[in-house]
Amino acid sequence: MNESIFSNSIPVGPLNLVVMNGCEELGDAVDRYISEIRTKREHDEESSLHFRGYCKDSYKVPVSCPRFGSGEAKGSIKASVRGSDMYILTDVMNHSITYSVNGHINHMSPDNHFQDLKRIIAAASGFAKRITVIMPFLYESRQHKRTGLESLDSSLALNELIEYGVNNIITFDAHDPRINNSIPLNGFDNFLPPYQFIKALLAKHNDIKIDNDHLMIISPDEGAMHRAVYFANVLGVDMGMFYKRRDYSKIINGRNPIVAHEFLGTNVEGKDVIIMDDMISSGESMLDTARELKEKKAKRVFICTTFGLFTDGCNKFDEYYEQGMFDGVILTNLTYRSPELKSKPYYYEADMSIFLATIIDYLNHDASIASIMDPTEKIRALVEQYNNENKM
């Protein structure tokens, strides 16, 4: 971190971190890292009023969204936020949270989480100096374009947040980053986790050779091409791509079924391969890709995705892992991962908490985040260190 950025700057306002129900694990880690960063920092004006409350053990503000027996709810903030720079962290994909409706237990859906987010924003509006929403998995972002008479829910949600008084929106690996065109006059930052991916992978294995003869990056479809191209260029290796051949005469579970995965790229025989994508939903497409690569005699297959939703559970992944179709699944901790998933031998975690804490720290000072948005130099330094420590 470049500390010179902060030596002569003052915060926008006192930092407040709101951790919504369902993302306490990530929120607590981010809160802890912000406190560690600021405790070690020295400022030219640290004795001024601008820095009152700058160094604290915790920046979290207690909030709740209690529900009535009918299922209706309200947002409540338990401490003063007047004049603060507020960051609200929410995980709209945490389905493990439950609530009662007329005596029946319901699981929280993305819609429920989004409504609770709006309740807290409404409670803070008019009091907080600035409100930033951190939504790692962008609400309804899979519906990113219209192909007929369809709603465009993600665009509607972004505009709704702006109307509620939100100043900035932070997300990670948006399904289609062009969704920010929905709010062109407002702040929208989309961060990517390639550095954390390669860091998690290299921490698990000391025998990966990062060169053109031994490693290859794979895109499972055309939508993930830009991720794979960047990763391959930074590591200096080849990339390949699968494209999905679909049967457009049928619709099954709301989509056209995949007939086959066709591969475009050089020979993968004997190479380690990394499959890059933004999410695992059911995992069907990713597992098909892994099987195809193994049939082409790839050495080891590693799956890297920002969000692991596992909407159909882990049984199919267990089966493929036991058959040797892949060797590891690298996921970030930006969304809910079930205890079952965390216990799997193939689960690797890419920790994003330090990165997220750094983002919040920079933004609270209104400092440029260009240097932390581009991880190229960090990846190259990490690879160089890895190669020096594991010379073969």
Side-chain angles (χ1 to χ4, degrees):
M1 183 182 296
N2 184 6
E3 288 295 328
S4 62
I5 293 174
F6 307 97
S7 60
N8 295 307
S9 65
I10 61 175
V12 172
L15 174 60
N16 280 341
L17 177 64
V18 173
V19 179
M20 298 296 291
N21 192 15
C23 54
E24 290 85 359
E25 183 182 354
L26 176 61
D28 288 345
V30 169
D31 184 41
R32 183 173 64 252
Y33 284 122
I34 295 174
S35 181
E36 290 178 5
I37 291 169
R38 296 197 164 187
T39 300
K40 298 174 183 177
R41 180 175 294 151
E42 295 181 358
H43 301 272
D44 295 345
E45 301 181 32
E46 59 186 346
S47 60
S48 72
L49 287 174
H50 296 294
F51 284 87
R52 184 176 58 185
Y54 187 77
C55 296
K56 298 163 63 176
D57 292 334
S58 176
Y59 299 88
K60 289 174 62 179
V61 175
V63 300
S64 65
C65 291
R67 290 184 179 270
F68 302 100
S70 62
E72 298 167 288
K74 65 178 180 180
S76 178
I77 301 175
K78 307 295 185 180
S80 173
V81 296
R82 191 178 296 275
S84 69
D85 187 20
M86 177 184 284
Y87 295 80
I88 307 176
L89 176 62
T90 183
D91 177 11
V92 298
M93 301 308 293
N94 190 337
H95 59 273
S96 69
I97 309 299
T98 60
Y99 65 97
S100 177
V101 180
N102 293 329
H104 300 281
I105 300 301
N106 280 6
H107 283 263
M108 292 274 282
S109 71
D111 292 342
N112 297 134
H113 284 292
F114 188 67
Q115 285 298 117
D116 279 356
L117 170 64
K118 291 193 294 182
R119 291 180 176 112
I120 296 302
I121 294 169
S125 292
F127 299 98
K129 184 176 183 179
R130 186 173 70 174
I131 298 176
T132 298
V133 168
I134 303 172
M135 192 184 297
F137 188 99
L138 191 62
Y139 174 69
E140 296 288 1
S141 57
R142 297 181 72 180
Q143 176 59 13
H144 61 282
K145 60 183 178 181
R146 300 180 71 175
T147 56
L149 296 178
E150 299 175 334
S151 62
L152 197 56
D153 290 32
S154 188
S155 176
L156 291 172
L158 291 176
N159 279 279
E160 196 170 3
L161 291 178
I162 298 305
E163 290 174 4
Y164 268 58
V166 172
N167 303 92
N168 301 297
I169 296 168
I170 295 172
T171 192
F172 287 81
D173 208 350
H175 193 62
D176 188 335
R178 291 173 295 182
I179 197 67
N180 70 345
N181 293 332
S182 301
I183 49 170
L185 301 181
N186 297 89
F188 183 96
D189 291 305
N190 179 42
F191 293 92
L192 299 173
Y195 171 74
Q196 287 76 14
F197 280 154
I198 193 67
K199 183 178 179 181
L201 177 60
L202 298 185
K204 285 275 189 177
H205 299 273
N206 61 3
D207 61 343
I208 295 177
K209 296 181 180 180
I210 307 174
D211 60 42
N212 227 10
D213 297 323
H214 300 92
L215 183 66
M216 194 169 177
I217 310 300
I218 303 295
S219 171
D221 54 41
E222 59 276 15
M225 271 283 289
H226 67 282
R227 300 177 184 89
V229 168
Y230 171 77
F231 213 35
N233 284 338
V234 173
L235 296 178
V237 300
D238 282 337
M239 70 149 289
M241 185 197 90
F242 283 87
Y243 72 91
K244 300 170 184 174
R245 213 153 37 86
R246 296 182 180 271
D247 183 354
Y248 287 97
S249 66
K250 301 176 183 177
I251 297 179
I252 300 176
N253 293 329
R255 60 182 179 177
N256 304 109
I258 299 170
V259 176
H261 288 82
E262 305 290 352
F263 182 66
L264 301 174
T266 57
N267 187 14
V268 302
E269 184 175 351
K271 295 181 180 180
D272 291 328
V273 295
I274 301 173
I275 308 172
M276 300 283 298
D277 208 353
D278 62 330
M279 75 175 76
I280 291 173
S281 183
S282 66
E284 174 189 351
S285 177
M286 196 67 77
L287 291 174
D288 286 346
T289 300
R291 187 187 65 247
E292 293 273 355
L293 290 168
K294 274 296 185 179
E295 289 176 356
K296 295 180 183 299
K297 299 182 180 180
K299 181 181 177 183
R300 287 178 294 189
V301 176
F302 300 103
I303 299 171
C304 283
T305 62
T306 308
F307 307 109
L309 307 183
F310 293 89
T311 56
D312 290 345
C314 299
N315 291 340
K316 198 72 174 177
F317 279 82
D318 294 344
E319 178 185 333
Y320 272 58
Y321 178 72
E322 290 168 3
Q323 294 174 1
M325 295 298 174
F326 68 91
D327 298 82
V329 177
I330 306 170
L331 305 170
T332 71
N333 59 340
L334 291 170
T335 52
Y336 172 74
R337 290 99 55 233
S338 69
E340 178 194 7
L341 174 60
K342 290 182 179 180
S343 68
K344 300 297 182 183
Y346 51 77
Y347 172 74
Y348 303 177
E349 182 166 289
D351 185 9
M352 301 294 290
S353 53
I354 298 177
F355 185 37
L356 188 48
T358 304
I359 293 169
I360 294 173
D361 187 39
Y362 269 63
L363 293 180
N364 183 233
H365 279 263
D366 261 350
S368 171
I369 57 174
S371 59
I372 58 175
M373 288 191 76
D374 183 4
T376 303
E377 294 305 318
K378 289 178 65 178
I379 293 174
R380 287 175 175 164
L382 178 67
V383 170
E384 183 178 357
Q385 179 184 353
Y386 175 84
N387 288 336
N388 290 334
E389 292 175 353
N390 300 283
K391 290 181 178 179
M392 302 173 191

